[in-house]
Amino acid sequence: MDDIGINRVLGEMRALQQRSQLPAAQPVAEPAKESGFVDALRDAVRGVNDKQVDAARAAEDFQLGRGNLVETMLKSQESGIAFRAAVEARNRAVSAYQTIMNMPL
């Protein structure tokens, strides 16, 4: 997977995070710091984890009679989509790594 594909997946994950109205990993008011691949990966994994935790809370609230079915289902679907996107990004990164490692010198 090339940089364009990885950037596209990360962009889609950020767009999902913004649409879900969850707090961003970094406040918008702060100037954007230059970060590396590790920071981007950490933020992406935290974003997926936050969506899963939020979906679990919504499901628990619904089971206790405090939640809304529509909101619970939306959060569950957002969590699933974010997880599948992260797994796909991981699979493509592993595939790219294997391709590079199998190249003759």
Side-chain angles (χ1 to χ4, degrees), residues 62-102:
F62 179 73
Q63 290 171 354
L64 296 174
R66 295 183 295 209
N68 179 333
L69 177 62
V70 174
E71 179 183 332
T72 302
M73 292 305 297
L74 283 175
K75 288 183 180 190
S76 175
Q77 289 299 313
E78 287 175 358
S79 172
I81 290 168
F83 184 75
R84 284 192 299 272
V87 168
E88 183 64 26
R90 185 219 44 191
N91 291 344
R92 290 185 183 205
V94 168
S95 176
Y97 173 78
Q98 290 172 341
T99 301
I100 291 169
M101 292 306 293
N102 290 330

Side-chain angles (χ1 to χ4, degrees), residues 12-23 43-59 71-72 74-85:
E12 289 174 6
M13 291 174 74
R14 287 184 184 120
L16 282 171
Q17 181 181 30
Q18 289 174 351
R19 279 187 272 169
S20 68
Q21 299 174 353
L22 293 175
D43 290 344
V45 170
R46 282 184 183 155
V48 171
N49 184 54
D50 290 345
K51 285 191 180 298
Q52 289 182 336
V53 168
D54 196 35
R57 280 191 197 126
E71 179 183 332
T72 302
L74 283 175
K75 288 183 180 190
S76 175
Q77 289 299 313
E78 287 175 358
S79 172
I81 290 168
F83 184 75
R84 284 192 299 272

